[in-house]
Amino acid sequence: MAACHLTFQLGRAETAPGDGVVVVGGHQTLGNWDPASGLKMSTDENTYPVWSAKLQVPQAAGRVEFKYVIDRRASGEGFHWEDGDNRHITAQAGAWQQQDEAFGVPG
């Protein structure tokens, strides 16, 4: 079975030092809606406020719903879920990039 290589890129997520961003959704590789088990995104001083993460899923995953969540556990604030409808992506064989404008902005 062919795999789907996904790159998630979030164009703007303004965070405080110590915060993180995770992709959480309806697939085991996205934590099955548990933000503590979601896909951790990364950024650095050269790319902030852009966050990104890579993932491989079986093509059979089909349509997967997800949200971006800011992880503020380091400051004792827990998780901050973006508002609005769930985002979605359809896993197909090959390499795909999911680009979203910003945290909380519908894509």
PDB file of all heavy atoms in Angstrom, residues 5-8 39-42 52-56:
ATOM      1  N   HIS A   5       2.954  11.160   2.233  1.00  0.00           N
ATOM      2  CA  HIS A   5       3.894  11.975   3.003  1.00  0.00           C
ATOM      3  C   HIS A   5       3.316  13.384   3.088  1.00  0.00           C
ATOM      4  O   HIS A   5       3.186  14.068   2.070  1.00  0.00           O
ATOM      5  CB  HIS A   5       5.261  11.991   2.324  1.00  0.00           C
ATOM      6  CG  HIS A   5       5.850  10.627   2.170  1.00  0.00           C
ATOM      7  ND1 HIS A   5       6.622  10.043   3.144  1.00  0.00           N
ATOM      8  CD2 HIS A   5       5.744   9.724   1.167  1.00  0.00           C
ATOM      9  CE1 HIS A   5       6.987   8.839   2.742  1.00  0.00           C
ATOM     10  NE2 HIS A   5       6.465   8.620   1.549  1.00  0.00           N
ATOM     11  N   LEU A   6       2.942  13.799   4.292  1.00  0.00           N
ATOM     12  CA  LEU A   6       2.297  15.090   4.501  1.00  0.00           C
ATOM     13  C   LEU A   6       3.241  16.070   5.169  1.00  0.00           C
ATOM     14  O   LEU A   6       3.964  15.718   6.098  1.00  0.00           O
ATOM     15  CB  LEU A   6       1.072  14.943   5.400  1.00  0.00           C
ATOM     16  CG  LEU A   6      -0.095  14.123   4.895  1.00  0.00           C
ATOM     17  CD1 LEU A   6      -1.121  13.941   6.003  1.00  0.00           C
ATOM     18  CD2 LEU A   6      -0.725  14.788   3.696  1.00  0.00           C
ATOM     19  N   THR A   7       3.208  17.308   4.717  1.00  0.00           N
ATOM     20  CA  THR A   7       3.868  18.402   5.409  1.00  0.00           C
ATOM     21  C   THR A   7       2.787  19.399   5.784  1.00  0.00           C
ATOM     22  O   THR A   7       2.048  19.878   4.920  1.00  0.00           O
ATOM     23  CB  THR A   7       4.913  19.094   4.512  1.00  0.00           C
ATOM     24  OG1 THR A   7       5.907  18.142   4.148  1.00  0.00           O
ATOM     25  CG2 THR A   7       5.578  20.252   5.247  1.00  0.00           C
ATOM     26  N   PHE A   8       2.660  19.679   7.065  1.00  0.00           N
ATOM     27  CA  PHE A   8       1.743  20.705   7.541  1.00  0.00           C
ATOM     28  C   PHE A   8       2.539  21.990   7.726  1.00  0.00           C
ATOM     29  O   PHE A   8       3.618  21.971   8.324  1.00  0.00           O
ATOM     30  CB  PHE A   8       1.143  20.313   8.900  1.00  0.00           C
ATOM     31  CG  PHE A   8       0.168  19.179   8.833  1.00  0.00           C
ATOM     32  CD1 PHE A   8       0.606  17.872   8.970  1.00  0.00           C
ATOM     33  CD2 PHE A   8      -1.184  19.406   8.647  1.00  0.00           C
ATOM     34  CE1 PHE A   8      -0.289  16.810   8.925  1.00  0.00           C
ATOM     35  CE2 PHE A   8      -2.089  18.361   8.589  1.00  0.00           C
ATOM     36  CZ  PHE A   8      -1.635  17.061   8.736  1.00  0.00           C
ATOM     37  N   LEU A  39       0.660  15.674  16.714  1.00  0.00           N
ATOM     38  CA  LEU A  39       1.890  15.850  15.954  1.00  0.00           C
ATOM     39  C   LEU A  39       2.509  17.201  16.312  1.00  0.00           C
ATOM     40  O   LEU A  39       1.920  18.245  16.059  1.00  0.00           O
ATOM     41  CB  LEU A  39       1.581  15.789  14.451  1.00  0.00           C
ATOM     42  CG  LEU A  39       2.739  16.049  13.495  1.00  0.00           C
ATOM     43  CD1 LEU A  39       3.811  14.967  13.613  1.00  0.00           C
ATOM     44  CD2 LEU A  39       2.207  16.154  12.069  1.00  0.00           C
ATOM     45  N   LYS A  40       3.693  17.162  16.908  1.00  0.00           N
ATOM     46  CA  LYS A  40       4.373  18.389  17.324  1.00  0.00           C
ATOM     47  C   LYS A  40       4.946  19.110  16.106  1.00  0.00           C
ATOM     48  O   LYS A  40       5.606  18.507  15.274  1.00  0.00           O
ATOM     49  CB  LYS A  40       5.485  18.080  18.317  1.00  0.00           C
ATOM     50  CG  LYS A  40       4.968  17.582  19.645  1.00  0.00           C
ATOM     51  CD  LYS A  40       6.115  17.299  20.612  1.00  0.00           C
ATOM     52  CE  LYS A  40       5.612  16.986  21.980  1.00  0.00           C
ATOM     53  NZ  LYS A  40       5.163  15.645  22.175  1.00  0.00           N
ATOM     54  N   MET A  41       4.671  20.406  16.036  1.00  0.00           N
ATOM     55  CA  MET A  41       5.213  21.241  14.968  1.00  0.00           C
ATOM     56  C   MET A  41       6.460  21.938  15.489  1.00  0.00           C
ATOM     57  O   MET A  41       6.696  21.990  16.700  1.00  0.00           O
ATOM     58  CB  MET A  41       4.169  22.265  14.526  1.00  0.00           C
ATOM     59  CG  MET A  41       2.876  21.616  14.035  1.00  0.00           C
ATOM     60  SD  MET A  41       1.703  22.814  13.370  1.00  0.00           S
ATOM     61  CE  MET A  41       2.361  22.971  11.705  1.00  0.00           C
ATOM     62  N   SER A  42       7.249  22.474  14.569  1.00  0.00           N
ATOM     63  CA  SER A  42       8.463  23.168  14.995  1.00  0.00           C
ATOM     64  C   SER A  42       8.592  24.508  14.284  1.00  0.00           C
ATOM     65  O   SER A  42       7.997  24.743  13.228  1.00  0.00           O
ATOM     66  CB  SER A  42       9.698  22.302  14.733  1.00  0.00           C
ATOM     67  OG  SER A  42       9.836  22.062  13.353  1.00  0.00           O
ATOM     68  N   SER A  52       5.872  24.196  11.264  1.00  0.00           N
ATOM     69  CA  SER A  52       5.708  23.094  10.308  1.00  0.00           C
ATOM     70  C   SER A  52       5.987  21.746  10.963  1.00  0.00           C
ATOM     71  O   SER A  52       6.628  21.668  12.009  1.00  0.00           O
ATOM     72  CB  SER A  52       6.615  23.288   9.095  1.00  0.00           C
ATOM     73  OG  SER A  52       7.963  23.286   9.494  1.00  0.00           O
ATOM     74  N   ALA A  53       5.481  20.694  10.312  1.00  0.00           N
ATOM     75  CA  ALA A  53       5.691  19.316  10.774  1.00  0.00           C
ATOM     76  C   ALA A  53       5.505  18.382   9.591  1.00  0.00           C
ATOM     77  O   ALA A  53       4.732  18.668   8.669  1.00  0.00           O
ATOM     78  CB  ALA A  53       4.706  18.954  11.879  1.00  0.00           C
ATOM     79  N   LYS A  54       6.212  17.247   9.621  1.00  0.00           N
ATOM     80  CA  LYS A  54       6.094  16.233   8.571  1.00  0.00           C
ATOM     81  C   LYS A  54       5.554  14.950   9.171  1.00  0.00           C
ATOM     82  O   LYS A  54       5.810  14.636  10.330  1.00  0.00           O
ATOM     83  CB  LYS A  54       7.443  15.994   7.905  1.00  0.00           C
ATOM     84  CG  LYS A  54       7.907  17.188   7.119  1.00  0.00           C
ATOM     85  CD  LYS A  54       9.184  16.909   6.367  1.00  0.00           C
ATOM     86  CE  LYS A  54       9.556  18.159   5.567  1.00  0.00           C
ATOM     87  NZ  LYS A  54      10.697  17.929   4.719  1.00  0.00           N
ATOM     88  N   LEU A  55       4.863  14.190   8.329  1.00  0.00           N
ATOM     89  CA  LEU A  55       4.175  12.994   8.793  1.00  0.00           C
ATOM     90  C   LEU A  55       3.986  12.044   7.621  1.00  0.00           C
ATOM     91  O   LEU A  55       3.814  12.475   6.481  1.00  0.00           O
ATOM     92  CB  LEU A  55       2.798  13.423   9.339  1.00  0.00           C
ATOM     93  CG  LEU A  55       1.749  12.391   9.656  1.00  0.00           C
ATOM     94  CD1 LEU A  55       2.155  11.580  10.864  1.00  0.00           C
ATOM     95  CD2 LEU A  55       0.430  13.081   9.927  1.00  0.00           C
ATOM     96  N   GLN A  56       4.013  10.743   7.895  1.00  0.00           N
ATOM     97  CA  GLN A  56       3.694   9.733   6.894  1.00  0.00           C
ATOM     98  C   GLN A  56       2.506   8.940   7.385  1.00  0.00           C
ATOM     99  O   GLN A  56       2.486   8.477   8.520  1.00  0.00           O
ATOM    100  CB  GLN A  56       4.882   8.807   6.665  1.00  0.00           C
ATOM    101  CG  GLN A  56       4.610   7.742   5.628  1.00  0.00           C
ATOM    102  CD  GLN A  56       5.828   6.878   5.348  1.00  0.00           C
ATOM    103  OE1 GLN A  56       6.921   7.382   5.199  1.00  0.00           O
ATOM    104  NE2 GLN A  56       5.614   5.574   5.289  1.00  0.00           N
TER     105      GLN A  56
END
